Amino acid sequence: MGESKESGAEERPKWDNKVQYMLTSIGFAVGLGNVWRFPYLCQIYGGGAFIIPYLIALAFEGLPLLYLELAIGQRLRMSSVGVWRSISPLLGGVGISSMIVSFLVSLYYNTIVAWVLWYFFHSFQEPLPWSQCPLNENKTGYNIECEKSTAVNYFWYRETLNITPDVGISGSLQWWNVVCLVSAWSVVYICFIKGIDSIGKAVYFTATFPYLVLTIFLIRALTLPGATDGLVYLFTPDWEILKNPKVWLDAATQIFFSLSIAFGGLIAFSSYNPEKNNCERDALVVGITNSATSIYGSIPIFAILGFKAKTAFNNCLEDNILTLTNYFNIADQNMTVENYDQWFDHFNTTYPGEVSALSLRDCDLKNFLDQSASGTGLAFIVFTEAVLEMPGSQVWAILFFIMLFTLGLSSMFGNIEGILTPMRELKLVPKWVPHEVLTGAVCLVSVLIGLIFTLGSGNYWVEIFNSYVGSIPFLVIAFFEIVGVIYIHGMKRFSEDIEFMTGRKPNIYWKACWMVISPIMLLVVFVSYVVIQAQTYPTYPAWNPDYESFPETEMKPYPDWVFAIIVILIVAPLVSIPLVAVYNLIRRGLKKSSDKGSLNPYKNEAFEIETHEVKPRD
């Protein structure tokens, strides 16, 4: 294409400078998942071994799709809806699907930001509120639920969520969560009130501050006892784990969702660039920075997890030391953590029956390191527990939750952009409606719908949205995106577009990925994901104080009505793709039959229609 179809048709907002665009794109791609999802996958999949399939997925799936979105958005200078409708009216539903998915993801994502605010506000207390159990109602002892679990678990499940024991029991609105939710959406509105003009200023802080905090945490974490154990655990590869196909599947899905592909936000952000801009370099910078952040962020996280595991391991040994000291009347300070193994071997060899009867705890450092947690469990349970053991715990808690807040906020910018810009292009609101009013209306509707997440069952619904909205819909959307650009728009035309923007055509690596490798990987991941999910009925972990194995969570199957909602959440965003395609096919058929029926040899219009029908495509 020699000229953009929209060139000069309507003046489009522009970034003040290239730095704003890059920071916004990086901030959108780098989110909470980089800090709490990637370390979890490394932990359960053999440490450094997981990085290999992760980097392969980045090279052959993540970067090609990211480059494609940035290039097509910059060339056509439209949002996700306009881009796909411009390529072919049959693909108009792809942009609508991206808009719906962005909206659904925003609903639960900002709820997590609200929880982060709740913890941030409580991080100023001395002592930290999750450091000790509260008294019972009679003030005669500690709360039973807290004693059975831990103070950290109690603060999360009872004080923060006030969670119900079943997803079918909604409970009431928790006013503190409502206040935090309104606050989180208010911050999003303030930052987005002027569109890219205001978020372009906000990203100078939200996109850079997390790196400052991660660096501070890295320096502090490396000085903690046990940090080395955590890092050895992270970087020691278990090569056998690579034989497990689920490792490759999770690596492919992690890099896909980590880059925020198929949301529509990246397409919208790149559309504000000048047409002559090196989008290939932009894609490489954003993609590599995102993955490097995941690895960089894992180092302090694993150092702190190693510290937590070492502390738990030492506490375990000290309990055993106390038991052995009392039973065998050993002088105090004779048996220590350092010489415990020698003493234990001596007693176990000399008095095997008596040692066996003592029921000593099994203290294995690797078992403590293996205790994995992902998502909210890592942020609000594991990390908050580790912070308690660190000197100056308030400072570290405040820094950690500010970092999570800025990570979540910068990702929300892309989500909201993926909603507002398509709404304008679909003409869902009149042109005279100010941007501030439209943004406020979207935020208000989001708050009202998001109240479901502030109920007693709210955490269960966050997990449902996170597991199912952010899965199959993205894979399907991305597949149609790459098919639309490469096989409908055409590889030849797309290469010419890139040459027009960057001064050179894409090399064989990009072409091979777009035409063969990436579509096949998307299909394989999609089919594998569906097969794995279809093998078992979906379940969820419920926090039930009456459960016989409490404080372990009780695994329950979802009720049928919840399962129906899960299906709707997966299917609803994708319905627009076939509906819009069928609508345009019917409309095209009706127009052709109408044109043929109106031909008249005595009128010049007949010649114009006939020549229009046979006019070759550019």
Side-chain angles (χ1 to χ4, degrees):
M1 294 184 338
E3 294 290 338
S4 174
K5 291 183 180 181
E6 288 292 304
S7 294
E10 182 178 342
E11 187 173 352
R12 196 163 183 81
K14 296 178 182 179
W15 299 104
D16 288 349
N17 52 64
K18 185 66 176 285
V19 174
Q20 279 190 1
Y21 165 64
M22 295 304 298
L23 287 177
T24 305
S25 299
I26 291 171
F28 180 36
V30 176
L32 297 173
N34 296 74
V35 175
W36 66 31
R37 176 67 177 168
F38 180 82
Y40 164 74
L41 292 174
C42 286
Q43 190 175 15
I44 65 173
Y45 288 138
F50 177 76
I51 297 177
I52 294 174
Y54 176 81
L55 293 178
I56 291 174
L58 171 67
F60 296 106
E61 181 188 43
L63 290 178
L65 286 166
L66 179 62
Y67 184 13
L68 181 141
E69 285 203 350
L70 296 184
I72 202 68
Q74 179 177 308
R75 185 67 184 97
L76 297 181
R77 301 180 63 73
M78 301 176 186
S79 75
S80 56
V81 169
V83 161
W84 306 118
R85 195 164 52 184
S86 174
I87 290 175
S88 172
L90 299 179
L91 294 174
V94 175
I96 297 175
S97 292
S98 292
M99 179 183 70
I100 296 173
V101 168
S102 291
F103 177 69
L104 294 175
V105 169
S106 297
L107 293 177
Y108 80 82
Y109 201 90
N110 220 28
T111 302
I112 298 174
V113 175
W115 292 337
V116 169
L117 281 177
W118 168 258
Y119 269 79
F120 170 71
F121 296 146
H122 283 82
S123 296
F124 291 91
Q125 295 185 23
E126 169 61 42
L128 290 172
W130 55 83
S131 62
Q132 56 191 15
C133 288
L135 297 174
N136 58 25
E137 293 181 358
N138 298 327
K139 310 296 182 184
T140 56
Y142 290 115
N143 180 280
I144 295 177
E145 180 183 349
C146 185
E147 281 191 313
K148 286 183 177 180
S149 56
T150 63
V152 171
N153 281 330
Y154 183 82
F155 186 81
W156 168 240
Y157 286 109
R158 191 57 56 211
E159 298 287 348
T160 302
L161 302 176
N162 195 18
I163 197 167
T164 58
D166 192 278
V167 68
I169 304 174
S170 296
S172 59
L173 292 174
Q174 313 304 316
W175 65 266
W176 54 92
N177 284 331
V178 174
V179 171
C180 290
L181 184 67
V182 172
S183 301
W185 277 106
S186 298
V187 173
V188 170
Y189 175 70
I190 292 170
C191 292
F192 217 91
I193 193 168
K194 295 293 184 181
I196 67 169
D197 289 336
S198 52
I199 65 172
K201 307 296 188 298
V203 292
Y204 285 116
F205 174 74
T206 61
T208 58
F209 186 75
Y211 292 98
L212 174 62
V213 176
L214 279 176
T215 303
I216 295 173
F217 266 107
L218 175 63
I219 297 171
R220 179 66 182 98
L222 291 177
T223 64
L224 294 172
T228 304
D229 297 303
L231 296 181
V232 168
Y233 187 87
L234 169 63
F235 290 111
T236 302
D238 179 5
W239 302 114
E240 288 295 315
I241 205 78
L242 294 180
K243 297 178 181 178
N244 182 358
K246 198 169 187 305
V247 178
W248 296 85
L249 174 61
D250 279 345
T253 52
Q254 171 63 16
I255 192 63
F256 182 83
F257 303 135
S258 176
L259 289 171
S260 301
I261 298 166
F263 278 88
L266 290 171
I267 294 177
F269 286 152
S270 65
S271 72
Y272 303 133
N273 279 331
E275 285 186 310
K276 300 283 189 177
N277 174 62
N278 193 339
C279 48
E280 177 182 1
R281 182 179 57 201
D282 296 345
L284 291 173
V285 170
V286 173
I288 293 173
T289 301
N290 174 74
S291 296
T293 302
S294 295
I295 298 172
Y296 182 65
S298 295
I299 296 175
I301 293 295
F302 267 85
I304 291 170
L305 291 178
F307 163 69
K308 179 179 179 294
K310 187 72 171 181
T311 303
F313 173 70
N314 288 341
N315 290 338
C316 179
L317 290 182
E318 288 171 358
D319 288 345
N320 288 352
I321 289 171
L322 180 62
T323 302
L324 290 170
T325 300
N326 291 336
Y327 186 82
F328 291 103
N329 294 320
I330 305 171
D332 290 342
Q333 307 302 321
N334 277 6
M335 185 186 297
T336 64
V337 171
E338 287 74 22
N339 63 18
Y340 170 81
D341 288 337
Q342 289 89 339
W343 277 97
F344 177 79
D345 291 339
H346 167 70
F347 287 128
N348 198 37
T349 303
T350 312
Y351 312 102
E354 295 176 70
V355 170
S356 177
L358 290 176
S359 300
L360 298 174
R361 294 176 61 187
D362 181 19
C363 302
D364 186 350
L365 181 60
K366 188 176 185 304
N367 289 340
F368 290 110
L369 287 168
D370 283 338
Q371 293 175 4
S372 59
S374 177
T376 54
L378 177 64
F380 301 121
I381 297 177
V382 174
F383 195 88
T384 51
E385 188 174 7
V387 161
L388 294 175
E389 306 295 333
M390 298 168 63
S393 53
Q394 282 82 9
V395 175
W396 301 111
I398 290 169
L399 283 175
F400 179 69
F401 290 112
I402 290 179
M403 179 188 71
L404 291 186
F405 178 73
T406 53
L407 282 172
L409 188 61
S410 57
S411 293
M412 280 299 297
F413 293 158
N415 291 336
I416 298 300
E417 183 66 25
I419 300 168
L420 296 178
T421 311
M423 287 182 69
R424 288 288 192 188
E425 292 188 354
L426 285 170
K427 299 179 180 178
L428 296 179
V429 292
K431 284 187 176 182
W432 53 265
V433 175
H435 180 83
E436 297 85 346
V437 174
L438 177 59
T439 305
V442 170
C443 291
L444 178 60
V445 170
S446 299
V447 168
L448 295 176
I449 299 176
L451 290 177
I452 186 177
F453 303 120
T454 65
L455 295 168
S457 60
N459 185 56
Y460 300 132
W461 288 106
V462 168
E463 291 299 326
I464 289 171
F465 272 66
N466 184 41
S467 299
Y468 298 103
V469 172
S471 57
I472 291 178
F474 288 136
L475 296 172
V476 175
I477 292 170
F479 179 78
F480 278 101
E481 284 185 355
I482 202 164
V483 169
V485 172
I486 303 305
Y487 293 102
I488 296 179
H489 184 67
M491 185 70 247
K492 183 176 180 295
R493 295 176 68 195
F494 189 48
S495 295
E496 292 172 353
D497 292 340
I498 290 177
E499 185 180 21
F500 171 76
M501 293 183 292
T502 67
R504 63 179 182 274
K505 291 186 177 181
N507 56 39
I508 188 65
Y509 159 71
W510 295 116
K511 290 182 179 180
C513 289
W514 288 329
M515 297 182 72
V516 181
I517 300 174
S518 297
I520 290 177
M521 286 188 70
L522 284 172
L523 279 177
V524 169
V525 172
F526 172 77
V527 172
S528 302
Y529 185 88
V530 171
V531 169
I532 290 174
Q533 292 294 326
Q535 289 177 350
T536 56
Y537 191 84
T539 58
Y540 67 100
W543 182 260
N544 183 8
D546 297 327
Y547 180 47
E548 58 185 10
S549 299
F550 185 81
E552 293 181 14
T553 52
E554 181 181 6
M555 296 306 298
K556 293 184 176 182
Y558 282 115
D560 291 340
W561 65 274
V562 174
F563 182 74
I565 293 177
I566 290 173
V567 174
I568 292 173
L569 287 175
I570 295 173
V571 174
L574 302 176
V575 168
S576 63
I577 296 177
L579 284 183
V580 171
V582 170
Y583 168 76
N584 280 287
L585 284 172
I586 295 174
R587 187 180 177 188
R588 183 182 298 176
L590 292 174
K591 184 177 180 181
K592 282 187 177 181
S593 61
S594 174
D595 288 345
K596 288 179 181 179
S598 64
L599 288 178
N600 186 334
Y602 297 101
K603 289 187 177 180
N604 289 334
E605 288 89 334
F607 174 75
E608 292 173 2
I609 293 173
E610 286 177 335
T611 55
H612 174 72
E613 287 182 347
V614 299
K615 182 180 179 180
R617 187 177 178 181
D618 293 335

